[in-house]
Amino acid sequence: MKNSLHHIISASQFKKSDVFRYIANARRFRTESAESSVSTRFQGKTVVNMFYEPSTRTNCSFQAAAHKLGCNVISLTEAASSSKKGESLEDTIRTLGCYAEAIVLRHPERGAAHRAAKASRIPIINAGDGNGEHPTQALLDVYTIYEELAAFGLNIDSPLTEITVCFVGDLKNSRTVHSLVYLLGLLANVRFIFLSPKSLEIPQMLADIQIANGHQVLINTMSLDEALPLCDVLYMTRIQKERFATEFEYETVMANRRDYSIDGERMERAKQQMIVMHPLPRLDEIAEEVDKDPRAAYFRQVENGLYMRMAILEQLLEIHASIYVDNPMHANSSSSLSGEQHNT
Ligand code: CP
């Protein structure tokens, strides 16, 4: 293998063909899962779930995915780790590389996954680094959009199709939005509508990339009520209290939360052929009454996460195994990852 390791750190590392291969494999796992529950394909392989920030979906779906592929799982939280005694992230990663074939890392610091990859001799999967990125969420999100819009006869891969995707909420800190905007811009013709409180706007650099790639970008040029009839995809997010410096700043933003929330009445403005997504967890930005609306896709999105993470682990474990076969000495060397080397 030319490349040393195949970490998943950023959505920007993917090519269009990578994403469609993951989607095809996730679809295969969906079909296979309906027929059998556990494979023995990767028996004896171990995946470490290293979660230094809370998680329900990413943690549990990676665990379920690993088990369904026949892997063992080691779970490590910050509270139970020697980081509490002052051990560095790099030393923890070097240690875990002695026990496993891949590390799924969630960490509160932006850039932590990249740091971990530089120290690691096994693949690192970024499961969310602070307010940076969440590339595996973006993969399951594009899988969901692809499947759901195909049911309306919209093929996002067609150059003749333009879709309108409206992102709502905390767009400054939402790592899922940061990764998904990149992937959508890669895969489809998109009119992006970004709606957020002024202090939580989408990073200008991300918007600029989409404009440079020929997509239409509208930042806070209309209200949610005005945007709803235009949407093929409405992507809601939570205002992330944990990212605010003070309670006062959070409460100031939350005072206007109705502008960034939907309920049954508001959904009447939306098209019948559209979907509502949310990476979850939600607070009150989507009223529970919306759950029974067939356009509410967020729990189907959760299920898609399982199949997408099976596809991701399968590919990494296969590549990792081939590296060991091609070059057993690799087991004793760390990755020399730089910005461009962490390809899938
Ligand atoms: N979507 C997502 O990352 O959810 P968790 O924080 O529960 O993993």
Side-chain angles (χ1 to χ4, degrees):
M1 305 287 297
K2 184 166 174 272
N3 205 356
S4 55
L5 280 181
H6 293 253
H7 310 287
I8 294 182
I9 306 299
S10 164
S12 63
Q13 73 189 69
F14 298 123
K15 298 192 293 289
K16 199 168 176 173
S17 57
D18 296 327
V19 180
F20 281 113
R21 188 177 59 249
Y22 280 123
I23 290 176
N25 288 333
R27 296 179 91 181
R28 172 171 53 82
F29 278 121
R30 172 184 287 280
T31 308
E32 285 177 10
S33 287
E35 292 158 8
S36 65
S37 56
V38 176
S39 153
T40 52
R41 183 137 159 240
F42 294 106
Q43 210 163 30
K45 305 290 182 199
T46 299
V47 173
V48 176
N49 264 21
M50 180 175 167
F51 276 68
Y52 279 17
E53 253 193 356
S55 166
T56 298
R57 279 144 292 273
T58 314
N59 191 346
C60 296
S61 63
F62 265 114
Q63 288 194 47
H67 285 304
K68 280 176 175 287
L69 292 169
C71 301
N72 304 311
V73 178
I74 296 172
S75 288
L76 185 68
T77 62
E78 191 194 16
S81 78
S82 285
S83 71
K84 287 286 174 203
K85 303 175 202 164
E87 184 166 65
S88 69
L89 173 66
E90 284 79 1
D91 279 358
T92 306
I93 292 291
R94 288 181 191 110
T95 301
L96 296 174
C98 301
Y99 312 140
E101 276 73 30
I103 297 172
V104 181
L105 173 66
R106 172 163 292 187
H107 199 282
E109 287 172 29
R110 187 187 188 110
H114 190 257
R115 268 176 59 205
K118 284 203 282 188
S120 186
R121 68 183 197 180
I122 61 174
I124 299 291
I125 300 172
N126 181 4
D129 60 329
N131 67 356
E133 285 214 48
H134 197 346
T136 71
Q137 176 75 40
L139 286 170
L140 76 89
D141 287 345
V142 293
Y143 172 39
T144 302
I145 292 168
Y146 184 82
E147 297 283 69
E148 297 272 340
L149 296 193
F152 303 147
L154 278 177
N155 175 8
I156 66 167
D157 192 27
S158 163
L160 302 176
T161 303
E162 187 193 62
I163 58 170
T164 298
V165 184
C166 179
F167 291 89
V168 180
D170 182 350
L171 309 184
K172 176 185 171 193
N173 294 308
S174 175
R175 54 199 175 199
T176 71
V177 171
H178 301 165
S179 292
L180 178 56
V181 165
Y182 185 85
L183 276 199
L184 273 177
L186 183 70
L187 298 189
N189 292 328
V190 187
R191 171 167 57 170
F192 289 99
I193 301 176
F194 296 112
L195 303 181
S196 68
K198 183 77 187 149
S199 61
L200 300 177
E201 279 186 351
I202 190 81
Q204 191 60 46
M205 192 189 73
L206 261 180
D208 288 344
I209 291 171
Q210 300 314 320
I211 293 165
N213 287 336
H215 301 290
Q216 193 182 349
V217 172
L218 302 167
I219 302 175
N220 283 335
T221 58
M222 64 186 87
S223 67
L224 179 52
D225 283 336
E226 289 165 333
L228 272 169
L230 308 176
C231 292
D232 296 301
V233 178
L234 177 67
Y235 196 98
M236 303 295 293
T237 66
R238 172 178 65 98
I239 307 288
Q240 300 184 35
K241 187 176 186 180
E242 65 272 29
R243 311 285 176 216
F244 284 79
T246 65
E247 178 87 19
F248 177 75
E249 286 173 49
Y250 173 68
E251 292 301 338
T252 304
V253 167
M254 290 300 275
N256 295 321
R257 64 178 173 278
R258 162 102 186 106
D259 296 345
Y260 307 101
S261 338
I262 54 164
D263 55 18
E265 191 186 332
R266 221 169 210 168
M267 282 296 289
E268 287 175 19
R269 294 175 174 272
K271 294 191 287 194
Q272 280 309 307
Q273 296 203 326
M274 59 85 75
I275 55 168
V276 182
M277 297 176 67
H278 193 306
L280 304 177
R282 70 170 150 184
L283 299 179
D284 58 3
E285 60 276 4
I286 301 179
E288 279 195 23
E289 66 195 23
V290 178
D291 296 2
K292 57 182 183 296
D293 187 314
R295 295 170 292 183
Y298 29 93
F299 289 108
R300 298 192 291 274
Q301 189 182 348
V302 169
E303 185 182 346
N304 288 339
L306 170 64
Y307 306 121
M308 181 51 77
R309 283 165 178 146
M310 290 178 79
I312 290 165
L313 285 178
E314 175 193 53
Q315 180 165 313
L316 283 192
L317 291 170
E318 277 177 350
I319 292 171
H320 187 64
S322 72
I323 289 170
Y324 271 71
V325 169
D326 289 355
N327 179 12
M329 292 305 289
H330 186 89
N332 296 320
S333 65
S334 288
S335 162
S336 59
L337 177 138
S338 70
E340 283 72 46
Q341 284 179 304
H342 42 81
N343 300 322
T344 52

